[in-house]
């Protein structure tokens, strides 16, 4: 894609959106966050395997739509996760964790139909999510995300999110937060 | 390790008290690794993970890495994942297919039947001294495959797996058999692996029939995440067992489970109601199973634990968990998810989605378990805390032996299953002979 003024404006718009979204999560405005998700959302976090050189493309990550991953779910399920936290008796998040989402390296990977009339954007980014819980529990989740975003009015909606966590054995007792 | 562990003092089954020491003490932990994990039958994996010659899946026994492998002739082996020369792991991939395991350190290589094949510069450096035959990968002396599940023991004198399982196998069958009652036929569709700062026995105990911990799952029960939740059904699974008699069963070899005895007149209760194809599949399986198994179809599973650390969920969800010890206060959980290998694609898809939202560190139900095990472990470390034992007095004496099922059977929620588990646990730590460990003479077991 040519680096036109429109391209830079679009990238800034997408960055702003991703920062706003991260902020909603960190402020624990979970219901507002859900509003940013498309009804046909796909939210996917594969498990990562240690595989032989040359097999990474085929076998390193579990696949969306088959077998078991960390997350391979829809908006209904994410809504349930929010509902569960809001019961106040979901003890893995009661009391609530303190979480900060850092989002960086935002890139426009694909824009449709055009940069000037962007209706759908595929954006890549890196994340560093820090979770601190109760007194002494600390978890750091680092990885890559690929988001499919759809323009809705003056804002955006997330239609698909792929979260690539840079871990094999999960080094956290739980994945009770959102990415 | 020759020191005697004070098991009598720490495990007082008459009064129903167990010291917190066994959940935090390095001495007990060491005793477990040396006297328990070196003898008991341990769950290794599933044949569906290694269908072809050369296929391997790296597993664990206690703290140690092992390779589950199908050799070129199709025979299944379990090897210690450590080169005989300097100990480097000979396989650092999780799963795959190979003709050789080549050590990255000095390039000794082993065929898939464990034999040492390649030794660089053999003629110049080792000829006349090193006999390759003597330096195969270290293989478990006992391996057994039961309905595609692979089990192994480091003790050559261990009883046969089926004698070890005893009557617990009737319950385990409900996990491993096809939903329509055909024997076996399951496949693994994925394995969760994660670490959590808890003693491994908290996890095992959870599956021994600790139905009493239901309140910790109140959040999912309130909101409904089960297979029929979108039809407004609350709870974390469908109510298939409303008309059943719940039973909590302890077995002489330490296994324990929570199962259900349905009335002979049982009818299919609609499940997976929001997916007609899946509901229909389970209706078909239910009827077929009843026809095939007759009275035996009345036994249905909830959860259980095969001594020491292989737990299962029998139906919703369905899978086997293994609790690998890392240290007294850290555990690596592995969860193998099971489906009928020949189930329709739509059924498998719905099942895997339910499994993911229910189970493991990302599962809405089990996240709350991890929270409990972590803080139960952490709060048991204190000097004062360790002076005060845990209470295991629930339903003391409220069970019948071999009535209506084999084993010690309770018709009410009970801590008889963990009391029984820790009785056997103490026997292992005291180096007891096998007839004590499985609760009957080995000779008799062999004759049955």
């Amino acid at each position: 894609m040519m680096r036109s003024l429109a391209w830079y404006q679009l990238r800034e718009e997408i960055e702003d959106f991703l920062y706003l979204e991260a902020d909603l999560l960190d402020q624990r405005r979970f219901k507002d966050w859900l509003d940013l998700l498309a009804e046909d959302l796909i939210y996917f976090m594969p498990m990562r395997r240690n595989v032989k050189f040359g097999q990474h493309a085929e076998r390193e990550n579990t696949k969306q739509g088959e077998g078991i991953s960390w997350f391979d779910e829809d908006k209904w399920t994410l809504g349930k996760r929010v509902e569960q936290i809001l019961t106040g008796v979901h003890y893995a998040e009661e009391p609530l964790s303190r979480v900060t989402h850092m989002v960086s390296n935002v890139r426009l990977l694909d824009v449709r139909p055009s940069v000037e009339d962007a209706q759908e954007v595929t954006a890549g980014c890196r994340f560093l999510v820090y979770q601190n819980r109760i007194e002494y529990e600390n978890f750091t989740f680092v990885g890559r995300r690929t988001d499919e975003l759809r323009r809705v009015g003056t804002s955006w909606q997330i239609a698909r999110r792929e979260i690539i966590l840079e871990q094999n054995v999960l080094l956290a007792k739980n994945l009770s937060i959102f990415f | 390790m020759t020191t005697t562990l004070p098991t009598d003092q720490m495990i007082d089954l008459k009064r129903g008290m167990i010291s917190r020491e066994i959940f935090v003490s390095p001495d007990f932990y060491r005793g477990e690794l040396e006297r328990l994990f070196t003898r008991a039958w341990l769950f290794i994996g599933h044949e569906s993970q290694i269908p072809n010659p050369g296929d391997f899946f790296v597993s664990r026994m206690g703290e140690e890495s092992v390779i589950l492998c199908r050799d070129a002739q199709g025979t299944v082996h379990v090897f210690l994942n450590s080169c005989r020369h300097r100990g480097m792991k000979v396989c650092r991939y999780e799963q795959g297919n190979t003709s050789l395991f080549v050590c990255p350190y000095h390039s000794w290589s082993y065929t898939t039947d464990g034999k040492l094949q390649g030794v660089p510069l053999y003629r110049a450096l080792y000829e006349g001294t090193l006999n390759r035959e003597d330096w195969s990968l270290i293989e478990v002396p006992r391996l057994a495959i039961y309905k595609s599940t692979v089990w192994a023991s480091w003790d050559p004198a261990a009883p046969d797996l089926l004698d070890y399982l005893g009557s617990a196998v009737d319950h385990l069958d409900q996990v491993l058999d096809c939903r329509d009652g055909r024997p076996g036929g399951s496949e693994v569709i994925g394995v969760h692996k994660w670490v959590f700062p808890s003693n491994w026995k908290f996890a095992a105990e959870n599956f021994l029939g600790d139905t009493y911990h239901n309140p910790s799952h109140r959040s999912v029960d309130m909101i409904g995440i089960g297979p029929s939740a979108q039809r407004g059904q609350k709870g974390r699974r469908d109510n298939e067992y409303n008309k059943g008699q719940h039973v909590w069963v302890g077995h002489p070899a330490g296994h324990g489970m929570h199962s259900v005895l349905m009335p002979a007149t049982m009818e299919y209760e609609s499940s997976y109601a929001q997916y007609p194809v899946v509901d229909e599949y389970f209706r078909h399986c239910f009827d077929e199973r009843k026809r095939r198994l007759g009275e035996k179809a009345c036994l249905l599973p909830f959860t259980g634990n095969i001594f020491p650390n292989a737990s299962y969920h029998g139906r919703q969800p369905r899978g086997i968990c293994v609790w690998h010890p890392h240290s007294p206060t850290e555990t690596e959980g592995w969860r193998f998810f099971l489906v009928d290998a020949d189930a329709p694609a739509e059924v498998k898809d719905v099942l895997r989605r339910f499994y993911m939202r229910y189970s493991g560190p990302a599962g809405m139900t089990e996240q709350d378990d991890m929270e409990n095990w972590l803080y139960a472990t952490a709060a048991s470390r204190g000097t004062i805390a360790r002076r005060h034992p845990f209470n295991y007095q629930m339903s003391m004496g409220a069970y019948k032996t071999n009535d209506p099922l084999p084993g010690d059977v309770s018709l009410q929620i009970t801590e008889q299953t963990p009391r029984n588990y820790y009785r056997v646990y103490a026997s292992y730590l005291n180096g007891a002979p096998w007839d004590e460990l499985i609760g009957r003479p080995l000779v008799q077991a062999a004759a049955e």
Side-chain angles (χ1 to χ4, degrees):
Chain A
M1 278 174 285
M2 212 175 67
R3 301 295 200 260
S4 61
L5 182 60
W7 186 91
Y8 283 105
Q9 282 172 340
L10 179 62
R11 189 179 71 179
E12 186 149 329
E13 195 183 332
I14 297 299
E15 280 181 359
D16 275 351
F17 173 74
L18 295 178
Y19 300 158
L20 164 87
E21 187 223 337
D23 200 51
L24 289 179
L25 285 174
D26 296 347
Q27 291 191 47
R28 300 159 175 161
R29 289 169 58 188
F30 301 116
K31 283 187 161 169
D32 293 334
W33 177 72
L34 280 178
D35 289 340
L36 301 182
L37 310 180
E39 290 307 311
D40 58 347
L41 170 82
I42 292 169
Y43 183 84
F44 174 55
M45 184 196 279
M47 295 188 290
R48 317 284 305 282
R49 302 189 185 109
N50 297 310
V51 299
K52 203 172 170 57
F53 183 81
Q55 299 182 347
H56 287 84
E58 179 56 28
R59 297 193 51 238
E60 183 178 23
N61 297 348
T62 54
K63 294 192 169 64
Q64 192 215 320
E66 56 183 82
I68 298 292
S69 291
W70 289 126
F71 298 103
D72 185 0
E73 57 196 42
D74 54 15
K75 185 170 182 179
W76 176 81
T77 312
L78 282 173
K80 282 290 167 188
R81 292 182 185 277
V82 167
E83 209 183 318
Q84 183 184 22
I85 291 170
L86 300 182
T87 62
V89 288
H90 175 26
Y91 299 109
E93 277 299 328
E94 180 59 36
L96 285 167
S97 297
R98 287 164 286 270
V99 180
T100 282
H101 288 72
M102 312 279 283
V103 173
S104 75
N105 306 33
V106 176
R107 295 162 71 221
L108 303 181
L109 303 176
D110 189 30
V111 180
R112 297 173 299 273
S114 67
V115 169
E116 291 70 25
D117 177 30
Q119 298 301 314
E120 294 181 337
V121 170
T122 306
C125 69
R126 295 291 187 273
F127 65 82
L128 190 161
V129 179
Y130 174 79
Q131 178 189 13
N132 174 275
R133 192 152 171 69
I134 316 277
E135 294 155 302
Y136 312 113
E137 281 188 82
N138 270 335
F139 302 101
T140 307
F141 303 97
V142 181
R144 291 166 275 155
R145 248 180 25 203
T146 305
D147 295 326
E148 305 272 349
L149 306 173
R150 257 183 227 147
R151 185 183 289 287
V152 178
T154 55
S155 185
W156 295 85
Q157 257 190 351
I158 303 158
R160 183 175 188 280
R161 169 159 290 172
E162 179 173 284
I163 307 142
I164 305 289
L165 179 67
E166 306 289 15
Q167 291 182 10
N168 166 244
V169 174
L170 182 71
L171 301 177
K173 76 177 199 290
N174 275 334
L175 292 169
S176 57
I177 59 171
F178 301 103
F179 289 89
Chain B
M1 181 169 175
T2 50
T3 49
T4 305
L5 292 163
T7 51
D8 287 351
Q9 211 180 313
M10 298 298 166
I11 300 171
D12 181 349
L13 299 174
K14 278 215 178 87
R15 293 196 300 160
M17 293 179 198
I18 295 179
S19 169
R20 300 173 188 232
E21 288 286 356
I22 73 163
F23 297 91
V24 294
S25 142
D27 290 341
F28 270 82
Y29 180 73
R30 199 162 169 72
E32 292 166 1
L33 292 183
E34 296 192 358
R35 300 174 185 176
L36 196 164
F37 285 97
T38 53
R39 296 185 72 196
W41 279 98
L42 304 176
F43 179 84
I44 307 295
H46 191 280
E47 279 194 296
S48 63
Q49 299 176 290
I50 49 160
N52 302 309
D55 284 351
F56 65 86
F57 169 74
V58 172
S59 188
R60 294 173 70 95
M61 294 175 75
E63 280 188 346
E64 295 173 88
S65 178
V66 297
I67 304 170
L68 167 64
C69 167
R70 190 180 291 278
D71 72 20
Q73 272 67 51
T75 306
V76 174
H77 301 268
V78 173
F79 304 115
L80 198 66
N81 186 6
S82 179
C83 182
R84 295 297 303 273
H85 177 237
R86 281 297 179 280
M88 173 69 185
K89 276 188 175 183
V90 296
C91 184
R92 292 178 301 152
Y93 310 116
E94 275 173 277
Q95 199 167 356
N97 183 282
T98 192
S99 53
L100 282 177
F101 295 106
V102 182
C103 179
Y105 201 170
H106 304 89
S107 279
W108 283 24
S109 61
Y110 302 85
T111 49
T112 51
D113 56 359
K115 295 216 162 61
L116 176 60
Q117 175 169 295
V119 177
L121 302 175
Y122 179 85
R123 285 215 170 148
L125 308 180
Y126 288 107
E127 183 91 73
T129 309
L130 173 84
N131 181 8
R132 279 193 182 83
E133 304 272 296
D134 297 338
W135 297 91
S136 300
L137 287 175
I138 295 160
E139 183 161 11
V140 292
R142 301 299 303 279
L143 180 147
I145 299 176
Y146 181 70
K147 293 184 174 175
S148 300
T149 55
V150 183
W151 305 73
S153 163
W154 287 115
D155 185 356
D160 288 347
L161 176 67
L162 285 178
D163 292 327
Y164 178 84
L165 292 173
S167 45
V169 81
D170 298 339
H171 303 260
L172 183 61
D173 280 346
Q174 310 316 318
V175 185
L176 302 180
D177 287 349
C178 280
R179 302 297 86 173
D180 65 4
R182 282 172 293 152
S186 61
E187 71 173 359
V188 170
I189 56 166
V191 185
H192 274 167
K193 299 178 182 177
W194 76 107
V195 289
F196 50 94
S198 158
N199 185 273
W200 64 275
K201 296 188 294 298
F202 277 111
E205 233 191 78
N206 204 85
F207 285 81
L208 272 169
D210 177 12
T211 318
Y212 196 55
H213 85 277
N214 264 346
S216 69
H217 296 304
R218 215 173 107 218
S219 63
V220 272
D221 286 342
M222 284 164 72
I223 64 169
I225 63 156
S228 303
Q230 282 176 24
R231 288 289 190 85
Q233 169 106 42
K234 293 296 176 200
R236 55 192 189 270
R237 51 174 95 85
D238 291 321
N239 297 322
E240 298 182 288
Y241 298 155
N242 280 340
K243 298 188 177 111
Q245 168 65 57
H246 292 242
V247 289
W248 289 263
V249 188
H251 298 266
H255 322 305
M257 58 273 304
H258 170 196
S259 294
V260 178
L261 277 174
M262 298 296 286
T265 55
M266 65 176 171
E267 296 291 336
Y268 176 70
E269 301 260 356
S270 175
S271 60
Y272 295 89
Q274 69 211 41
Y275 316 96
V277 172
V278 184
D279 198 1
E280 190 46 43
Y281 175 77
F282 280 103
R283 174 186 302 280
H284 165 79
C285 287
F286 182 91
D287 293 342
E288 190 59 21
R289 184 173 175 276
K290 208 170 146 186
R291 190 188 64 74
R292 208 182 286 268
L293 302 184
E295 239 175 58
K296 281 191 165 175
C298 293
L299 182 66
L300 286 169
F302 253 115
T303 65
N305 186 70
I306 301 302
F307 192 91
N309 65 336
S311 301
Y312 67 75
H313 248 132
R315 272 178 90 79
Q316 288 189 356
R318 178 183 175 197
I320 292 174
C321 324
V322 188
W323 311 110
H324 300 296
H326 270 213
S327 82
T329 54
E330 188 172 74
T331 301
E332 182 167 334
W334 285 16
R335 204 176 226 296
F336 298 71
F337 294 93
L338 296 173
V339 296
D340 286 351
D342 59 5
E346 185 175 344
V347 171
K348 287 186 185 181
D349 189 58
V350 167
L351 291 176
R352 74 181 184 90
R353 287 173 187 279
F354 172 60
Y355 295 173
M356 281 186 280
R357 69 176 181 263
Y358 186 104
S359 305
M364 286 185 258
T365 305
E366 294 185 358
Q367 289 177 354
D368 291 327
D369 289 322
M370 253 76 77
E371 193 79 358
N372 290 328
W373 305 338
L374 190 164
Y375 285 99
T377 300
S380 295
R381 281 185 178 133
T383 305
I384 302 299
R386 281 186 283 118
R387 292 178 192 167
H388 298 275
F390 288 147
N391 182 300
Y392 281 81
Q393 296 177 326
M394 189 195 302
S395 302
M396 286 281 265
Y399 65 91
K400 288 184 176 173
T401 301
N402 300 331
D403 177 22
L405 293 165
D408 291 340
V409 185
S410 174
L411 302 182
Q412 64 193 48
I413 299 180
T414 182
E415 279 168 354
Q416 184 58 29
T417 46
R419 285 191 294 267
N420 177 59
Y421 178 91
Y422 289 113
R423 175 186 61 76
V424 178
Y425 169 87
S427 295
Y428 275 91
L429 294 198
N430 294 327
W434 271 108
D435 53 6
E436 181 183 324
L437 297 178
I438 62 167
R440 57 186 171 155
L442 264 187
V443 190
Q444 181 200 330
E448 271 171 19

